[in-house]
Amino acid sequence: ATIMLRSASTAAPWLKLVAFFAVVVPCLMMSFVLEEAAAGTPPWQPWPSGGGDEYPYCLSWRVMVEANNAKGWRTVPPPCVGYVWAYTAWGQYHRDVGGVADQAAAYAAGIAPAADGLDAWVFDVDDTCLSNLLYYQAKQFGAYDPVAFKAWASRGICPGIPAIRQLFWTLRGRGFRVFLVTGRDEETLGAITVANLAAAGFSGYDRLIMRGAGQRGQSAVAFKSAVRRQLVAEEGYRIRGNVGDQWSDLQGDVAGDRVFKVPNPMYFVP
């Protein structure tokens, strides 16, 4: 009897904790839901209602982004912030990235790299190889802040994107040369980016190419076109595939035999 009483006494705090989560937390969640509903559109609702110039369907807006029909936007439309948060956090984003990687791998499987070792692929870094999702979610997908982003990137904790990492190693295993081309500044972020890539599972690439001092004012299209021209015209590489999350990664001169757009409704780089 004594043992039973002690066990019951020990279990009491845990029973109280279970009761708290079973009763109080659902009530708080429901209160939040009702408050959001009273204030307007719940943040996770995919198709917010609204008038004026608001986007009536956030899914349609995201399709326009990926099709490059929505250009020059600085922030996610306010009614769609919750939709984009849910899209990136609840699985569909990662499934879509996986679909792109699968298509790229299937295409690469039909190419036999030549013995000269000049068949190459180009990858962007931010939100192609390394994910900044946590940073953009925390700032509610607001306007690009170069100071805040530099502080985030300087921490070197960006996780690797699993599907792209698998594609990267598949290509390396088949004998393709792989170049990583990023708009990050080499002087201030070079060492930390190398370390971050290694920690995220990206190693053995042929070269990481970053912006130098004389390239800081260039657009992404101009900078990345110049890099690819050098690889092709001066070094003799054949760019078989090009992978990036922005259309500006994939446009311009010598973009490659095929380009693969990784989804990104978080921000737009002209």
Side-chain angles (χ1 to χ4, degrees):
T2 301
I3 295 175
M4 291 178 64
L5 288 173
R6 286 179 179 173
S7 298
S9 176
T10 303
W14 294 102
L15 291 174
K16 291 178 181 179
L17 185 62
V18 170
F20 175 83
F21 280 102
V23 177
V24 178
V25 172
C27 289
L28 291 174
M29 292 178 65
M30 182 56 68
S31 176
F32 175 76
V33 170
L34 293 175
E35 288 177 3
E36 290 294 323
T41 301
W44 54 82
Q45 181 174 327
W47 295 284
S49 59
D53 295 327
E54 294 178 348
Y55 287 90
Y57 299 105
C58 294
L59 177 58
S60 297
W61 174 79
R62 181 167 64 84
V63 170
M64 287 192 289
V65 167
E66 299 305 337
N68 203 30
N69 290 326
K71 297 185 179 182
W73 52 279
R74 297 185 65 250
T75 63
V76 173
C80 295
V81 168
Y83 169 81
V84 173
W85 194 98
Y87 169 71
T88 54
W90 291 358
Q92 189 59 52
Y93 163 74
H94 291 288
R95 286 189 289 272
D96 290 348
V97 174
V100 173
D102 288 346
Q103 290 292 320
Y107 160 71
I111 303 172
D116 60 11
L118 294 175
D119 290 295
W121 281 66
V122 173
F123 283 71
D124 172 54
V125 172
D126 284 300
D127 296 298
T128 299
C129 296
L130 299 179
S131 175
N132 299 298
L133 179 57
L134 296 176
Y135 167 78
Y136 283 104
Q137 284 178 337
K139 71 192 296 288
Q140 293 292 295
F141 311 105
Y144 177 67
D145 182 339
V147 175
F149 181 79
K150 181 181 176 182
W152 157 260
S154 296
R155 298 173 66 187
I157 59 173
C158 302
I161 297 178
I164 302 301
R165 182 171 56 226
Q166 179 61 48
L167 173 63
F168 170 88
W169 283 108
T170 296
L171 295 172
R172 291 289 299 161
R174 295 206 60 243
F176 289 101
R177 310 292 290 272
V178 177
F179 296 91
L180 308 185
V181 183
T182 173
R184 289 188 179 195
D185 181 67
E186 184 172 21
E187 181 180 352
T188 57
L189 293 174
I192 195 65
T193 300
V194 170
N196 196 162
L197 283 164
F202 292 89
S203 59
Y205 46 82
D206 289 270
R207 200 181 312 163
L208 171 64
I209 304 172
M210 308 178 72
R211 285 185 190 267
Q215 301 163 317
R216 289 173 184 157
Q218 291 181 341
S219 69
V221 173
F223 165 65
K224 296 197 172 186
S225 289
V227 169
R228 295 191 301 264
R229 281 198 303 270
Q230 178 178 330
L231 290 173
V232 173
E234 299 179 23
E235 301 182 35
Y237 288 102
R238 297 176 291 271
I239 299 178
R240 297 305 193 186
N242 185 359
V243 185
D245 67 292
Q246 299 290 319
W247 280 105
S248 52
D249 299 328
L250 311 173
Q251 295 173 324
D253 296 341
V254 287
D257 293 347
R258 275 197 64 177
V259 300
F260 295 89
K261 171 70 168 65
V262 176
N264 185 352
M266 299 182 289
Y267 59 87
F268 175 85
V269 177

